Amino acid sequence: MKRNLITKILVLIIVVITLAACSKDIVTGADPYAGGKESLGIGFYINYPDPGTAKPGELVDFYVKGLKGKLDQINFFVNNTAVEIVSAKDSLITIKVPSQITSGDAKVVVGEEVFYGPRLEIEGNTSVDENYGMVNGFRGAVYDILPNAGGFIVAGSFSNFENESNYENVAADKKVYRNGVHFIDANGKSNNNMNFRQGTFGGGYIRSIAKTNDGKFIFAGSLGSFAMRSVGNIVRVNSDGKIDSMIVEVINTGNDPKNSLDTVSAFNGGVNSTIIRTFATSDNKVIAVGNFTSHFKIDYNYSSRDTRRYILSAAKGVIRMKEDGTLDSTFALNNAGANAQIFDAAMIDNERIVIVGAFTTYNGKVANGIACIKADGSLDETFSLKGNITRLFALNYNSSLKKLAVSGIFTGAGASGKVNNVALINTDGTVDDTFILRDLGTGVPNYAQILNNGQVVIDGTQNSYAGIPRSNLLILEKNGELLQKYNSLGPFVGSVSKVVETKSSLGEPALLVGGSILQFGQKTYGNFFRLEIKN
């Protein structure tokens, strides 16, 4: 045992001597982080400005440390807009709010280094209505909003509203559904005057709503079923929200007499793909627009409760159906349609349909991105945007002003050749050359709508307007000018699908805005909010 201990000690001594000898050959590398710039020690040490909300022209204090010796090197920005520094001390910077600016975060730039600070709210004439009753909003996108009976029918791809949906492990008479369509009152609360039952439960969405002259409603979109009944991407409902239904005789394949009858949708018509827009005519016919290629109806003479026989007809892009859902063969029979995708549509005076998209011809005739279809289904060849058109995304019609607002990627439109990306079009197809969109940088407008007072709402991918950093959601004047007082809010995160004019809780003009919306200003939203506009 003693011998083993002596052996271990000798081995340890040899290892130590060996390591000591080897250490003479070890070269220590240079510090890979040596030579880097030392931090300037600058930072915002109070996380709010004073005041927190200011108007253009007012002075605002920001509390910043570490400025000593660098006061002549600093630049200050709010929402990436350069602002005037009125005074600067080692721990305090006073800035003057410029005449053109949007709410946003502050930052100090010293040389190549950037130091981010608190948010400054810019006061203006627009604000999200804090008294609006909606809190959580819709769980899923909103595509259309239709005023009705003092409230609004809201449609989209949502599966809940205000977290009210409750149908699992609940008694049948207690189940609550909020799928694809819902009726809210003027203050954004649920209203039971219309009950759509399960709605689009199980999949699908509603893209468009139309109201018929007899007080019923057409819902269209991507719909395999509605209220648990099979439909062909379109359905008609009564004023209470129930499907407009009828009882038909069918083939009875068994012995039960009840199987000789079936309750079905009274609107017996559908198409083989999504409907983008639907419209009701003065005689309660229905126009559907989309990228479908065929229409179908069910022949109940050869159908049972479990099996349907369908009658198919070629029908492309824009069709008109009779009140019972059958195809109206007097409208665009054997229509060749658009040679590429249709993105949007609007019905204008004399029940003409204007479509926009990526197409270049309609029924074999030149129609570059836009086409006007007359009430008889023929193309109005005098109606065109001209200019260099890549594609047109969205279209909205103001029936009071009789003007269309179209947005997309195009240049050189109008008689002046100066209309780009957003155009206001009269019902005769001429372009209103007084509205000129200013520079959007690399952004693209995806939505435009003209309000009753002539102002134009646009939404897109832009982050500036006329060289000034701005929100994606803007309110422009009749000539395209942007007034600071209507555009102080930001940022806007999301996309707009529908804007409806209404009143705020204080009786001021307001806009209901629906879409895929996550944030506006500092607050998050469930795809829907009410924007108050003070004049």
Side-chain angles (χ1 to χ4, degrees):
M1 187 173 182
K2 188 175 181 179
R3 182 180 298 175
N4 288 339
L5 179 60
I6 294 172
T7 301
K8 289 180 179 179
I9 292 173
L10 289 174
V11 170
L12 180 61
I13 293 172
I14 293 171
V15 170
V16 170
I17 294 173
T18 302
L19 289 175
C22 291
S23 67
K24 296 179 181 179
D25 298 324
I26 296 175
V27 178
T28 303
D31 182 357
Y33 300 103
K37 291 184 179 180
E38 190 173 331
S39 173
L40 295 179
I42 296 174
F44 290 81
Y45 66 94
I46 295 181
N47 64 353
Y48 57 86
D50 185 19
T53 301
K55 298 178 181 179
E58 293 184 340
L59 303 183
V60 179
D61 291 334
F62 287 86
Y63 302 93
V64 189
K65 65 179 181 179
L67 294 177
K68 189 174 183 179
K70 309 174 187 69
L71 296 178
D72 60 343
Q73 306 171 40
I74 63 176
N75 292 288
F76 204 98
F77 299 82
V78 174
N79 190 34
N80 293 318
T81 300
V83 301
E84 176 188 350
I85 299 176
V86 176
S87 65
K89 301 176 183 179
D90 182 43
S91 59
L92 179 67
I93 295 178
T94 300
I95 63 103
K96 183 178 181 180
V97 179
S99 60
Q100 297 294 323
I101 191 171
T102 301
S103 303
D105 295 336
K107 69 179 179 182
V108 170
V109 179
V110 181
E112 296 180 355
E113 295 199 54
V114 181
F115 305 90
Y116 292 95
R119 176 183 173 86
L120 175 63
E121 294 294 333
I122 306 299
E123 186 176 337
N125 289 34
T126 58
S127 60
V128 175
D129 191 345
E130 298 295 338
N131 295 318
Y132 193 49
M134 194 177 295
V135 179
N136 299 300
F138 295 89
R139 187 184 299 168
V142 169
Y143 297 138
D144 205 358
I145 307 167
L146 184 70
N148 178 60
F152 301 89
I153 303 173
V154 182
S157 60
F158 49 85
S159 59
N160 206 339
F161 173 72
E162 297 287 74
N163 296 327
E164 294 172 351
S165 183
N166 179 20
Y167 50 81
E168 293 184 0
N169 302 318
V170 177
D173 61 338
K174 301 293 184 181
K175 292 181 185 292
V176 176
Y177 295 89
R178 300 286 186 260
N179 298 99
V181 61
H182 188 48
F183 184 59
I184 60 175
D185 64 19
N187 198 41
K189 296 290 189 179
S190 286
N191 187 295
N192 294 324
N193 286 347
M194 298 187 78
N195 185 349
F196 303 105
R197 280 64 182 175
Q198 295 91 340
T200 62
F201 182 75
Y205 58 85
I206 296 172
R207 175 75 183 269
S208 180
I209 316 169
K211 187 174 184 178
T212 63
N213 271 349
D214 58 356
K216 297 179 181 180
F217 300 91
I218 305 294
F219 297 156
S222 179
L223 290 169
S225 67
F226 185 83
M228 307 307 286
R229 293 188 183 277
S230 295
V231 296
N233 296 311
I234 187 168
V235 64
R236 184 171 61 220
V237 302
N238 296 316
S239 58
D240 61 358
K242 293 180 181 178
I243 286 184
D244 183 10
S245 60
M246 62 181 182
I247 297 175
V248 296
E249 292 186 5
V250 293
I251 297 173
N252 190 341
T253 58
N255 297 321
D256 189 343
K258 292 186 297 183
N259 290 331
S260 297
L261 300 175
D262 197 3
T263 302
V264 299
S265 173
F267 188 82
N268 184 14
V271 295
N272 66 330
S273 188
T274 301
I275 295 173
I276 296 170
R277 294 288 175 209
T278 186
F279 310 99
T281 66
S282 57
D283 55 357
N284 291 328
K285 292 181 179 179
V286 176
I287 296 173
V289 179
N291 295 294
F292 46 81
T293 57
S294 63
H295 169 274
F296 61 82
K297 62 173 291 186
I298 300 171
D299 185 350
Y300 290 109
N301 292 321
Y302 296 93
S303 298
S304 67
R305 290 172 65 95
D306 299 321
T307 305
R308 305 300 197 197
R309 180 191 179 190
Y310 293 94
I311 300 174
L312 297 176
S313 302
K316 188 175 181 182
V318 183
I319 63 172
R320 187 167 64 201
M321 291 170 276
K322 298 177 182 179
E323 193 171 359
D324 64 358
T326 58
L327 189 64
D328 184 352
S329 60
T330 66
F331 181 90
L333 185 63
N334 299 320
N335 179 20
N339 66 335
Q341 275 193 303
I342 300 171
F343 294 144
D344 207 351
M347 186 166 73
I348 62 174
D349 59 341
N350 301 317
E351 298 184 349
R352 292 180 294 162
I353 302 298
V354 180
I355 61 172
V356 295
F359 52 85
T360 56
T361 66
Y362 187 83
N363 285 351
K365 297 179 179 179
V366 175
N368 195 11
I370 188 167
C372 179
I373 297 111
K374 299 177 185 178
D376 63 359
S378 64
L379 179 68
D380 182 351
E381 297 182 61
T382 67
F383 197 106
S384 67
L385 187 58
K386 297 185 172 60
N388 302 308
I389 300 172
T390 300
R391 60 185 58 195
L392 304 179
F393 297 126
L395 189 67
N396 284 286
Y397 180 58
N398 185 306
S399 58
S400 298
L401 301 180
K402 294 191 178 300
K403 284 182 183 289
L404 287 156
V406 61
S407 58
I409 304 173
F410 63 90
T411 58
S416 66
K418 297 180 180 179
V419 177
N420 305 320
N421 297 324
V422 171
L424 304 186
I425 305 175
N426 301 310
T427 54
D428 62 0
T430 58
V431 174
D432 182 351
D433 282 287
T434 61
F435 181 86
I436 305 294
L437 193 71
R438 308 311 195 256
D439 179 34
L440 293 180
T442 58
V444 174
N446 296 318
Y447 183 93
Q449 181 169 330
I450 183 169
L451 305 178
N452 289 336
N453 64 2
Q455 289 180 314
V456 180
V457 177
I458 72 166
D459 169 56
T461 62
Q462 75 280 352
N463 53 28
S464 66
Y465 192 80
I468 304 295
R470 293 290 182 187
S471 165
N472 302 90
L473 180 64
L474 302 173
I475 299 176
L476 307 179
E477 300 308 297
K478 296 177 182 179
N479 62 355
E481 180 185 2
L482 181 149
L483 297 186
Q484 167 65 30
K485 64 180 180 178
Y486 297 125
N487 295 279
S488 62
L489 289 178
F492 178 79
V493 180
S495 60
V496 174
S497 297
K498 186 69 175 183
V499 173
V500 171
E501 296 186 62
T502 185
K503 294 289 185 181
S504 73
S505 55
L506 300 177
E508 296 282 357
L511 304 176
L512 289 182
V513 183
S516 297
I517 302 166
L518 300 177
Q519 180 184 356
F520 195 24
Q522 289 185 289
K523 294 190 175 182
T524 58
Y525 294 95
N527 303 299
F528 197 101
F529 62 88
R530 188 165 71 187
L531 185 69
E532 184 178 51
I533 305 173
K534 297 178 181 178
N535 294 318

